Amino acid sequence: PAANQTSPSGRVVRKEQQLRIRVTVAALPSEYRRVLLLRIVSEMPFEEIAERLKRSSAATRQLYQRARRAMLLKLEHQEPR
């Protein structure tokens, strides 16, 4: 059981990573933020997200991929704190 617990320093690192991700996502265009949050946080299927965004499923998947790439690029160019 003790092996599965995160060390205090591990928890700090994880909190810092979560903050970096939140700040990065908040800086993205609103459509990117929305599709990322619906897909990743709410775990919605693309078809349901497409209905909410009034887009086709294919267009929603493309939007998600662009948003994901934009987020990852921003994260890669940030220096760890």
Side-chain angles (χ1 to χ4, degrees):
N4 291 334
Q5 294 178 352
T6 304
S7 68
S9 62
R11 286 192 295 272
V12 169
V13 168
R14 186 176 318 162
K15 290 280 187 191
E16 288 175 354
Q17 289 172 336
Q18 289 171 343
L19 178 60
R20 283 181 61 222
I21 291 169
R22 283 189 188 112
V23 168
T24 300
V25 170
L28 293 173
S30 62
E31 274 195 325
Y32 283 8
R33 282 194 314 269
R34 190 165 184 208
V35 74
L36 287 170
L37 293 174
L38 291 173
R39 181 67 180 163
I40 296 169
V41 177
S42 299
E43 298 180 345
M44 284 186 186
F46 282 108
E47 293 73 23
E48 190 172 336
I49 298 169
E51 287 177 24
R52 284 190 179 213
L53 300 181
K54 296 180 178 27
R55 293 174 169 259
S56 70
S57 183
T60 301
R61 288 173 191 273
Q62 289 176 345
L63 177 65
Y64 173 75
Q65 290 303 322
R66 286 194 305 270
R68 189 172 174 274
R69 275 194 298 273
M71 179 185 68
L72 293 174
L73 280 172
K74 284 183 179 283
L75 285 171
E76 286 175 6
H77 288 92
Q78 289 178 0
E79 291 185 30
R81 297 177 185 213

